Amino acid sequence: MKSHHFVAVLAAIILVAASGCSNTPGHNGPLSAGDESSSTCAPEAGESVFTFGLDWLANGSDSSVTVTGVELIDAENMEIIEAVLLPEPDPPTRMGIGLVDDYPPTDYTEHSDGGAYWDLREIVEGATVEGHESSNLLMGIMANGQASMEGAVISYEHEGDSYRVETKNRIRVRTQCGGVD
């Protein structure tokens, strides 16, 4: 009987210790990256630069969050050259830019509104997402040959605590898209 009690107390201590670390990065903060996941393939063309913008960051709190960084998860032959946040356009839409050639994306910088929407961007480090608002994460990415990444980790601060949230959209750059990865 004593061993069951000891195991239960030990489990409770571990649970309290794991949940009590609010100043360490975690996944329990107010910023979410959505539940969607996808795998996008781009044809390999040696060294290539493209824009990836499928991820929306939504702040579920009443106060703003400040993004402190972004990094790719399990990146192979791929790196971020720039990452920005764009507010939700007016009228609102949750459509992301997806995967397009070049960075910055000409649809935002040269067409439709002459670049006025692109001028609203904030470089990720230091960008804010206001309470109960969403921002589109756009990453300029350089790939060298066959490349991949499994998503991105966004680090941010909210009311003095540090958090991390992961996106679930991945990229593959392959000689031929389709079939087995």
Side-chain angles (χ1 to χ4, degrees), residues 12-33:
I13 290 170
I14 291 170
L15 182 61
V16 169
S19 64
C21 300
S22 62
N23 284 326
T24 59
H27 296 281
N28 55 349
L31 197 62
S32 68

Side-chain angles (χ1 to χ4, degrees), residues 11-156:
I13 290 170
I14 291 170
L15 182 61
V16 169
S19 64
C21 300
S22 62
N23 284 326
T24 59
H27 296 281
N28 55 349
L31 197 62
S32 68
D35 293 328
E36 307 85 28
S37 64
S38 69
S39 183
T40 305
C41 185
E44 183 229 330
E47 186 175 280
S48 55
V49 174
F50 51 89
T51 302
F52 188 65
L54 283 176
D55 298 306
W56 284 89
L57 305 179
N59 181 354
S61 75
D62 292 333
S63 57
S64 66
V65 300
T66 302
V67 179
T68 56
V70 63
E71 58 190 68
L72 299 178
I73 300 170
D74 295 332
E76 293 183 26
N77 299 324
M78 190 175 285
E79 64 183 76
I80 297 174
I81 54 176
E82 184 176 64
V84 299
L85 292 184
L86 277 166
E88 195 161 15
D90 189 22
T93 178
R94 281 320 227 40
M95 291 293 296
I97 190 171
L99 182 67
V100 295
D101 287 336
D102 295 324
Y103 183 84
T106 57
D107 282 348
Y108 282 152
T109 59
E110 297 173 10
H111 302 299
S112 68
D113 68 355
Y117 182 62
W118 182 250
D119 290 342
L120 299 175
R121 74 191 182 282
E122 289 184 81
I123 299 297
V124 164
E125 290 81 12
T128 58
V129 180
E130 297 300 325
H132 302 290
E133 292 195 8
S134 298
S135 292
N136 190 198
L137 172 64
L138 293 182
M139 295 181 284
I141 296 180
M142 182 176 3
N144 191 358
Q146 291 198 26
S148 64
M149 64 89 148
E150 298 299 316
V153 176
I154 296 89
S155 303
Y156 66 99

Side-chain angles (χ1 to χ4, degrees), residues 151-166:
V153 176
I154 296 89
S155 303
Y156 66 99
E157 294 179 352
H158 178 255
E159 297 180 348
D161 291 327
S162 297
Y163 301 95
R164 294 164 56 99
V165 64
E166 293 183 6

